Amino acid sequence: MGVSRSIRKWWHSPPAYLRLRSSKWTIGITAFGACFTDGYLYGSVVPVLPFSLVERSGVSEDDVQFWLSMLLMVFGLCLGVGAPIAGWAADRGPRSTPFMFGLVLAFAATLLFCFASKPWGLILGRMLQGFSASVIYTAGLALVADAVDPKEIGAWMGFVFSGNTLGLLFSPFLAGLVYDYLGYYAVFIILFGVIAVDIVLRGFMIEKRTADKWLAMENKTYDDIPDEDTRESDVSSERAPLRAENDDVTQQSPPADERSSLLHSKPKQSRSWLGRLFPTTAVLASSPRLMVAVYGVFTHTMLLTSIDSILPLFVKRTFEWTSSGAGVIFLTITCPSLFGGFFGALSDRYGSRPVCLTGLATTTLNLALMGLVAHNALLDKILLCIFLFLVGVGLNLIFPSLAADLFYEVDVLAKTHSETFGTGGAYAQGYSLLCLALGASTFFGPIWAGLFYQMTNWPITMASLAGLTALPAVGVFFYTGGVASKEKQGGVEASESRV
């Protein structure tokens, strides 16, 4: 009997170092590491594939661009398909479960890339990478949104996603060098090391919602712990007053965000097939402010994948560089990512709209100027590095501001449509729309850039990318929020946009 009581007491005791493992810094660093792992796995093969497809897979030089684009396209397709599923799962249960499952998929994808020699094996590996990324960006960003102060969401989104950008753009540099000097398999030894670090981080972290349940019980004695068959009813009774309090709160008028078109009317049941089958998605998709953020992220990532697709080929043909040179050039666009948290904090301080518009203008201008680089001359190489660096600055201004604005809009919609969103909220499903944009842009970006570069030339390709980058500025100007703040009314915090 005493042994049984000891075992049950141990079973119901909080995990060790609970507060540390569930702190916003631990969760933020873990999400940063997950994004870095995904970006690093994705980007490591970028400078290697143009050479390994010929040497290992037997692909002809004329078909290399086709297979490069195909590998990027299937990644984007699986990223988009997996995002809604991952978002639904992360909002309906513990977010850490799909978060860990994404790591399993990443490991399997790396094994395929390491040992597969045929193009179909590489395509299967890219597909698993796409599904893994869909879980990371939905569950991972939702974990961060749960843990941090909403007034700091821009800085944290900038910090977390800078992990992806660093991994995506730093990995070609290192992988290119390793491939040239140590060979193909050495590249994957480093990849498995990165995954091992990610395993440790994800295993150590405890999500905020799980930690809150333990912290609420930590002052109780063992005798207060309910039996297995009564625990659920006790938890439901404990939450009943909270639900009643929340019902009272939802009857109050929350501060209105004048840039959300949905706040000035009562929520009503959608009669469309989308509203019946996916009510939460229907509410999210009907917000112009949220859709502008999704479209802006689509443009941001389409540009990144386009550069991934054609830049190694451009420097190989124009400057006659090897995979090492193709990797080194990515450092120029990577450097601004070191200050991702700073760029995100700018949107917290000055608002998402001006920061995002500045990023779009900076990126558009320098993309157009990149079209001037055309000769194997020292001046052209210097100019290309400068333009890529400024493009990197612009990209780091765009994404954190839009990710933060999406968070604010989801927060507002959750309060005005509480009967649709439920107690689990919709952060993961909101970020799944963002992830869907990432997948679609990864699918279309290589097609657009690859076709333009193959059928025209470098200047026309850069001009087309500059034009695409400028398009979201109209929607950002009219719908994206200004300076976000948190104010308390009746003891409840609500998100407000000051414009």
Side-chain angles (χ1 to χ4, degrees):
M1 186 67 177
V3 173
S4 176
R5 287 177 59 86
S6 299
I7 293 175
R8 290 183 61 196
K9 186 173 182 179
W10 170 81
W11 179 261
H12 291 289
S13 62
Y17 308 108
L18 176 63
R19 294 182 185 275
L20 173 63
R21 295 168 66 183
S22 62
S23 68
K24 65 180 181 180
W25 282 102
T26 298
I27 294 174
I29 291 173
T30 301
F32 173 91
C35 288
F36 178 84
T37 298
D38 175 71
Y40 194 89
L41 297 183
Y42 176 90
S44 288
V45 296
V46 168
V48 174
L49 282 175
F51 304 91
S52 66
L53 282 171
V54 176
E55 298 169 3
R56 284 173 50 87
S57 304
V59 175
S60 66
E61 283 283 355
D62 294 336
D63 294 333
V64 168
Q65 183 62 59
F66 167 79
W67 285 108
L68 287 176
S69 298
M70 184 64 66
L71 287 166
L72 291 172
M73 286 162 52
V74 296
F75 174 87
L77 181 64
C78 293
L79 175 60
V81 170
I85 301 172
W88 179 87
D91 278 337
R92 292 298 183 273
R95 305 199 200 277
S96 55
T97 301
F99 198 47
M100 288 297 294
F101 180 68
L103 189 59
V104 175
L105 294 177
F107 181 78
T110 306
L111 280 177
L112 276 171
F113 261 104
C114 182
F115 296 108
S117 58
K118 299 299 181 182
W120 66 264
L122 300 177
I123 287 178
L124 182 58
R126 270 298 198 217
M127 291 175 65
L128 292 179
Q129 276 189 345
F131 286 122
S132 171
S134 69
V135 175
I136 289 172
Y137 296 126
T138 51
L141 294 179
L143 282 167
V144 175
D146 289 338
V148 305
D149 189 328
K151 290 185 289 187
E152 303 173 343
I153 191 68
W156 278 102
M157 288 300 162
F159 170 71
V160 169
F161 200 77
S162 67
N164 172 265
T165 309
L166 281 172
L168 186 66
L169 298 176
F170 177 73
S171 55
F173 160 69
L174 183 58
L177 288 176
V178 172
Y179 180 76
D180 269 354
Y181 293 101
L182 298 176
Y184 184 80
Y185 290 106
V187 174
F188 291 91
I189 292 175
I190 298 176
L191 291 180
F192 286 119
V194 172
I195 292 175
V197 174
D198 198 6
I199 291 173
V200 173
L201 288 174
R202 295 195 205 190
F204 182 77
M205 183 204 73
I206 296 177
E207 69 173 286
K208 185 67 174 176
R209 295 193 300 184
T210 301
D212 287 343
K213 296 176 183 178
W214 283 112
L215 292 173
M217 298 174 60
E218 71 176 356
N219 292 327
K220 293 184 178 182
T221 64
Y222 167 71
D223 292 333
D224 295 326
I225 297 174
D227 294 330
E228 292 293 333
D229 56 346
T230 61
R231 186 188 306 160
E232 291 298 327
S233 61
D234 289 346
V235 172
S236 299
S237 62
E238 286 179 2
R239 290 179 177 175
L242 295 177
R243 287 199 298 268
E245 182 181 347
N246 288 336
D247 291 340
D248 294 338
V249 168
T250 55
Q251 295 175 3
Q252 301 176 8
S253 297
D257 183 340
E258 64 184 49
R259 288 197 175 267
S260 176
S261 61
L262 304 177
L263 298 184
H264 303 293
S265 60
K266 293 182 180 180
K268 53 185 178 183
Q269 185 69 29
S270 173
R271 296 181 180 179
S272 67
W273 66 270
L274 179 64
R276 290 193 301 271
L277 295 177
F278 308 103
T280 303
T281 302
V283 171
L284 295 173
S286 63
S287 166
R289 179 181 178 184
L290 191 145
M291 287 297 100
V292 165
V294 170
Y295 177 58
V297 170
F298 169 84
T299 303
H300 166 277
T301 310
M302 183 173 179
L303 173 58
L304 267 180
T305 56
S306 297
I307 292 175
D308 276 347
S309 178
I310 63 175
L311 184 60
L313 208 55
F314 171 74
V315 297
K316 178 183 177 182
R317 292 175 178 176
T318 306
F319 302 149
E320 300 178 355
W321 286 356
T322 64
S323 61
S324 299
V328 169
I329 193 67
F330 279 96
L331 283 179
T332 56
I333 198 173
T334 305
C335 290
S337 301
L338 297 172
F339 306 98
F342 167 75
F343 290 123
L346 290 178
S347 65
D348 293 331
R349 176 67 178 85
Y350 299 105
S352 298
R353 185 171 65 256
V355 172
C356 185
L357 287 174
T358 302
L360 290 170
T362 303
T363 305
T364 301
L365 174 62
N366 286 280
L367 281 172
L369 292 174
M370 280 171 62
L372 300 176
V373 178
H375 304 289
N376 189 5
L378 179 60
L379 178 61
D380 286 54
K381 296 173 184 177
I382 294 174
L383 287 176
L384 179 61
C385 292
I386 293 173
F387 297 149
L388 282 171
F389 175 81
L390 293 174
V391 166
V393 171
L395 292 175
N396 279 276
L397 289 171
I398 294 170
F399 185 89
S401 58
L402 292 177
D405 206 59
L406 183 144
F407 167 86
Y408 295 130
E409 181 67 352
V410 170
D411 200 37
V412 170
L413 294 175
K415 289 178 174 62
T416 56
H417 297 79
S418 57
E419 75 289 347
T420 300
F421 284 29
T423 57
Y427 289 140
Q429 291 178 80
Y431 284 120
S432 75
L433 292 179
L434 183 149
C435 191
L436 188 62
L438 294 176
S441 58
T442 305
F443 182 85
F444 288 109
I447 298 177
W448 181 281
L451 285 177
F452 261 83
Y453 188 45
Q454 207 164 27
M455 297 173 61
T456 59
N457 54 36
W458 177 256
I460 294 178
T461 303
M462 289 298 101
S464 70
L465 291 177
L468 286 174
T469 307
L471 288 177
V474 177
V476 170
F477 180 81
F478 285 107
Y479 290 106
T480 300
V483 179
S485 65
K486 300 292 292 182
E487 295 183 0
K488 291 187 177 181
Q489 291 194 1
V492 178
E493 293 185 343
S495 194
E496 181 176 339
S497 177
R498 294 177 182 170
V499 295

